[in-house]
Amino acid sequence: MQQQQHEVCLSNEQKILQAAAQEVEQWLAGAFLHKPVAGGALALPLPILDWLQQADSVSPLPEGALMSVELAGNRQDAMHSIHKIEELLAILDEATNQKKGVLHRALRFFDVST
């Protein structure tokens, strides 16, 4: 018996969402932060994922916590990744807060290009 192969085709919106998520994931895996220390010097770089996990364990996050760190590395890469995060948030916000009904939202993500 011949085995049938099933191929999943993503809609354009799903492709955009997937590409943006993958870019952000790759950036986060290699991104670092500096925490300024006394005298204005910068401490050793801390992986951003470690900082996010530490910040997540503190509830609520202290006011100004994000302002107390600086991104390390290439500024252009960081700005591009931040733009991708904003793009992801906008897509997800639009998907969850649409004026149209739940069926329309579902169709957006189940619409498969042929």
Side-chain angles (χ1 to χ4, degrees):
M1 180 186 267
Q2 193 176 39
Q3 183 177 3
Q4 244 183 339
Q5 288 193 357
H6 298 281
E7 188 175 315
V8 175
C9 295
L10 301 177
S11 70
N12 286 338
E13 189 166 41
Q14 290 169 325
K15 289 176 186 176
I16 291 168
L17 192 62
Q18 182 184 38
Q22 286 173 342
E23 280 188 54
V24 169
E25 184 179 31
Q26 288 174 350
W27 176 72
L28 283 173
F32 288 87
L33 296 172
H34 288 292
K35 286 185 177 182
V37 293
L42 295 176
L44 292 175
L46 173 69
I48 196 169
L49 289 176
D50 291 350
W51 183 83
L52 288 169
Q53 288 173 342
Q54 289 173 9
D56 186 48
S57 68
V58 177
S59 183
L61 190 61
E63 189 174 325
L66 190 56
M67 299 301 289
S68 69
V69 294
E70 296 178 13
L71 287 171
N74 185 315
R75 181 176 171 83
Q76 293 293 80
D77 289 345
M79 294 304 296
H80 177 76
S81 295
I82 290 169
H83 174 72
K84 287 296 177 183
I85 291 169
E86 290 171 343
E87 184 180 321
L88 281 171
L89 291 173
I91 291 170
L92 295 173
D93 184 56
E94 182 183 328
T96 57
N97 295 317
Q98 273 190 346
K99 302 285 187 242
K100 297 180 181 176
V102 68
L103 292 178
H104 185 268
R105 287 194 304 251
L107 285 174
R108 286 179 57 202
F109 285 94
F110 291 120
D111 181 33
V112 178
S113 306
T114 55

